[in-house]
Amino acid sequence: MLARIQTCAVQGIDGILVAVEVDHHPGEIRFVMVGLPDAAVKESQERVASAIKNSGFRGLRGINVVNLAPADIRKEGSALDLPIALGLLAASEQIDGKRFTGIAFAGELALDGSVRPVAGALCMAIAARDSGFRAIVLPAENVVSAGVVPGIDVIPVASLNDAAAYVNGQLDIAPHVTDVATLMSGRSGHVPDLTDVKGQAHVKRALTVAAAGGHNLLMIGPPGTGKSMLASRLPGILPDMTFEEALETTRVYSVSALNGARQSLISTRPFRAPHHTATTVSIVGGGGGQQPFPGEVSLAHNGVLFLDELPEFNRAALEVLRQPLEERLVHIRRAMYSVTYPSAFMLVVAMNPCPCGCRTDPHRECRCSVGQIQRYMSRLSGPLLDRIDIHVDVPALSFGEIADMRPSGSTSAEVRAMVQAARDRQRARYKGAFMSNAQIDSVSVRRWCALNEGASSLLETAIDKLGFSARAYDKVLRVARTLADLECMDDIAEHHVAEAIQYRNLDRAAL
């Protein structure tokens, strides 16, 4: 008898509909699987056979042919165990295969028939809904994340017996509905407050501007001046995630190895801080094997990617950031696959002004030669620095600033309210075309960042003296637009342009 059941595979962060066709007929015991299965899928034969037998069903008999369609897409992972087992049971007439209509199935089987969680359940639920399915049957541990998808019933099962009974109509399982409002309310985990950082009022201002417009930020200063502390407090002043942002971020994590199988909805903007020994593959993603994985640029999607000690990173690892920073996507092509991951992140980087770190410290003498400083700075390419909107110096603190025990400046909650108001203005202005000022394209810059005569004259003078590139010119306009939004002003004034120019330190410095 022939049975057909639907499931989903994951490619990148996209779910792909897969039909599991099972043909069972009498003969000597033989199991054949076709349709480009990887090693994990091929091994499902033994898991499925044991799960069926240990669940009380008849063991595999006769000739069983399993086809995974479409045959030109490689099938990976263990999520096909459950649909293969149900297809075999239907083909051998142990359950009613006619009840598969309108339902997709996914799950890994243990030898005793219990169902284990799988990676990418959220992506599968979205793909099943978009393909017109009314329900998807998933392991119980996956339904919290998959349950946030509207328009499809997410059915939790704990074992092969539960799934078979549900298909036969012998067990009524209520769909799981995740309380999205509860998940989206509040911020999970403890985020340190901005007032913990002593002094550095102008750096906190730059951090506020960066958060308000989604701008990339570079901090330059001696060791111990608070660069890493400031960066770690950035998530506390970023605006709340929208449901769409949370859903897309969770999709990335659901296919990664970072607790992806059990991952609930991510409602807090991610903050990724890889070590400076990180490889190019770990930064951009992919991998040399048959199964790709998202890198740091994608794990930081809708959040922050913080690179401390920037010149210590491998030059190649830094250069691969250029495309994701421009396109907000990362395209990975290998011999066995081609995937695209989202990578709309804020890049925040920190570095010392010289190899010893003391060049701008008034209390310590720098012993670096001019050649050493030039070689140190040359590790960073001009095109990469050009893509960073805001450059700011982080000076050494005085004794009075260090010894002052009072909270310093505005709290993270107060700054976040300003940032949220500025982002709300941007969303209303761009009407969904862009999420922040940092994302607007060159054509939109001319439309939304128009300058009056005084501001235009000031910027022209700065460009003539400092030699800004065309990209740096656009960066200044975008930052000026954000400064105006922070003051709830529709027009960009001269003082906005002047402050934006001050945030191009490396363009102004004679290094």
Side-chain angles (χ1 to χ4, degrees), residues 416-438:
R416 185 169 69 247
M418 296 171 51
V419 169
Q420 186 70 60
R423 287 288 187 106
D424 290 342
R425 288 176 60 86
Q426 293 163 47
R427 289 195 177 97
R429 178 190 304 126
Y430 304 131
K431 295 180 173 59
F434 308 101
M435 298 300 292
S436 65
N437 288 330

Side-chain angles (χ1 to χ4, degrees), residues 27-315:
E28 63 181 60
I29 299 177
R30 187 156 58 96
F31 188 98
V32 179
M33 186 180 297
V34 295
L36 279 184
D38 73 346
V41 178
K42 289 179 180 177
E43 291 172 354
S44 66
Q45 173 185 350
E46 306 302 330
R47 292 193 300 271
V48 166
S50 295
I52 288 176
K53 184 177 179 180
N54 292 327
S55 297
F57 297 100
R58 295 195 311 269
L60 297 184
R61 299 176 181 176
I63 301 173
N64 296 281
V65 180
V66 177
N67 178 43
L68 308 176
D72 59 342
I73 296 177
R74 192 166 189 82
K75 321 305 183 305
E76 300 172 339
S78 57
L80 301 181
D81 288 4
L82 181 60
I84 289 173
L86 292 173
L88 288 166
L89 292 177
S92 60
E93 300 183 338
Q94 298 185 67
I95 62 173
D96 187 0
K98 296 179 181 178
R99 301 178 66 93
F100 290 154
T101 305
I103 307 175
F105 300 81
E108 178 184 333
L109 288 176
L111 299 185
D112 63 355
S114 59
V115 180
R116 291 173 173 164
V118 295
L122 176 60
C123 307
M124 296 176 188
I126 293 174
R129 179 201 61 186
D130 294 345
S131 299
F133 287 88
R134 60 180 173 84
I136 181 170
V137 175
L138 291 170
E141 294 178 75
N142 283 127
V143 297
V144 175
S145 61
V148 304
V149 181
I152 188 170
D153 291 341
V154 179
I155 308 297
V157 294
S159 66
L160 176 59
N161 277 325
D162 288 350
Y166 173 76
V167 169
N168 279 333
Q170 300 166 342
L171 179 63
D172 186 19
I173 304 177
H176 178 89
V177 179
T178 301
D179 189 348
V180 176
T182 300
L183 292 178
M184 293 296 296
S185 64
R187 291 169 174 253
S188 59
H190 171 70
V191 179
D193 200 271
L194 203 57
T195 56
D196 298 338
V197 183
K198 303 298 182 182
Q200 309 296 8
H202 73 290
V203 186
K204 292 179 182 178
R205 166 67 172 176
L207 210 67
T208 302
V209 176
H215 300 290
N216 302 322
L217 172 68
L218 166 64
M219 294 181 285
I220 309 174
T225 53
K227 300 186 295 294
S228 298
M229 286 186 67
L230 286 161
S232 66
R233 281 145 181 81
L234 183 56
I237 66 174
L238 288 173
D240 295 333
M241 294 182 79
T242 64
F243 174 71
E244 290 73 19
E245 288 176 325
L247 194 63
E248 191 166 49
T249 303
T250 307
R251 288 175 67 189
V252 175
Y253 277 78
S254 73
V255 300
S256 74
L258 301 177
N259 199 25
R262 298 174 176 83
Q263 185 66 59
S264 181
L265 186 70
I266 296 175
S267 59
T268 302
R269 295 189 182 276
F271 181 85
R272 304 291 302 176
H275 192 260
H276 60 76
T277 57
T279 64
T280 302
V281 171
S282 68
I283 293 292
V284 76
Q290 296 179 350
Q291 190 166 356
F293 58 86
E296 294 291 342
V297 296
S298 298
L299 295 172
H301 182 58
N302 290 321
V304 178
L305 177 63
F306 175 53
L307 304 181
D308 200 3
E309 305 293 346
L310 185 66
E312 302 300 328
F313 278 80
N314 180 283
R315 176 73 177 258

